[in-house]
Amino acid sequence: MSKKHKFDYFDAFEKQSAMAVKEAELLIEAIENFTEAEDLRGIMDRAHQIEHEGDEVNHAIFKTVATDFITPIEREDIIELSQYLDNIIDYIEDVMQRFYMYDVHFMHHDAEEFACLIKKSCVALDKAMVDFRNFKKSKTFKQLIVDVNTYEEEADRLYLKVIRKLHTEDNDNPMRVLVWSQIFDRMEKCCDACEHVADTMSTILLKNV
């Protein structure tokens, strides 16, 4: 009888972080090629496909951790890490959906800078995740986590700047201020989600050294 294949949690985490990078790349593509909201339907379908694939990985993790006799790290940590990774993908898709739902008529000039920062956060997190399975011995893991936190701090500063600009330069258009405030709020949330994953990884490191 063949031996049952053991589920690789770290491989699953890496798949999730790689999907987050792909979703961030789609966000940049949506912004760079924007003409009108109606034209976003195709890219939204692609984004939703990535989100669906991410859900499948997340469900596989949840299903396996419930029955595995031994897990490489604590079950609660596995569940939290998987859910936080899934959140990143969801939040990035949500930004694209907001462009469409709010029927934006122009792409704000600060949106691309924010999207690029989201991608940098996802790429940094993906690099850290590749190193995560070796976190006890790795000489680079801690710095990779710091990189994620650094991008989140940049996102905080950018968010402060763009929201102030909206309320000082576009205050004659309340609807524009409302719509873009909500969109930028969700973009900042994407970087926060990356930091939540990084913080969870740091906590796991401290609990297992």
Side-chain angles (χ1 to χ4, degrees):
M1 187 174 180
S2 62
K3 187 177 180 181
K4 183 180 178 181
H5 175 69
K6 187 166 180 62
F7 188 86
D8 189 333
Y9 290 99
F10 295 105
D11 182 62
F13 295 147
E14 288 173 29
K15 287 179 181 177
Q16 287 179 296
S17 63
M19 288 178 196
V21 174
K22 289 182 179 179
E23 199 82 328
E25 289 172 344
L26 273 184
L27 175 60
I28 293 174
E29 183 181 336
I31 291 171
E32 288 181 340
N33 299 322
F34 181 82
T35 52
E36 58 182 43
E38 187 65 30
D39 293 337
L40 291 171
R41 299 179 78 122
I43 206 163
M44 284 169 55
D45 288 342
R46 290 159 60 197
H48 188 67
Q49 179 59 37
I50 294 173
E51 189 272 338
H52 177 69
E53 291 171 4
D55 281 346
E56 288 184 334
V57 175
N58 195 37
H59 293 158
I61 292 172
F62 276 41
K63 181 179 179 180
T64 307
V65 76
T67 56
D68 258 0
F69 183 66
I70 298 175
T71 56
I73 54 179
E74 291 182 18
R75 295 176 200 275
E76 294 78 8
D77 292 331
I78 291 173
I79 293 169
E80 188 173 83
L81 189 57
S82 178
Q83 188 58 60
Y84 281 157
L85 282 161
D86 193 57
N87 286 346
I88 299 171
I89 302 169
D90 289 344
Y91 293 164
I92 298 173
E93 183 191 21
D94 182 59
V95 174
M96 286 179 267
Q97 290 175 339
R98 298 286 158 175
F99 294 153
Y100 179 77
M101 287 189 293
Y102 295 157
D103 191 29
V104 296
H105 295 291
F106 77 103
M107 187 53 61
H108 198 285
H109 53 270
D110 289 318
E112 184 173 358
E113 182 180 359
F114 224 135
C116 289
L117 194 50
I118 291 170
K119 181 184 174 182
K120 287 179 181 178
S121 297
C122 290
V123 169
L125 183 64
D126 188 46
K127 289 180 180 177
M129 194 59 70
V130 170
D131 215 27
F132 185 47
R133 66 175 68 239
N134 302 311
F135 67 84
K136 292 182 181 180
K137 299 178 181 179
S138 174
K139 299 183 184 299
T140 59
F141 179 71
K142 290 182 180 179
Q143 182 56 51
L144 292 169
I145 292 297
V146 170
D147 291 343
V148 178
N149 292 329
T150 298
Y151 287 128
E152 193 279 331
E153 291 173 3
E154 285 186 34
D156 284 344
R157 291 192 293 270
L158 180 59
Y159 179 68
L160 184 67
K161 182 183 78 171
V162 298
I163 294 299
R164 175 166 175 77
K165 283 174 66 177
L166 277 174
H167 285 80
T168 55
E169 298 178 10
D170 291 314
N171 53 10
D172 60 336
N173 192 327
M175 183 57 70
R176 181 180 297 174
V177 173
L178 175 64
V179 166
W180 281 100
S181 290
Q182 293 193 18
I183 291 174
F184 285 133
D185 179 71
R186 281 159 177 77
M187 295 182 91
E188 196 267 343
K189 194 175 180 181
C190 295
C191 293
D192 281 347
C194 289
E195 185 184 44
H196 289 159
V197 174
D199 289 345
T200 301
M201 294 162 75
S202 293
T203 300
I204 293 170
L205 171 65
L206 292 173
K207 290 165 69 173
N208 288 275
V209 292

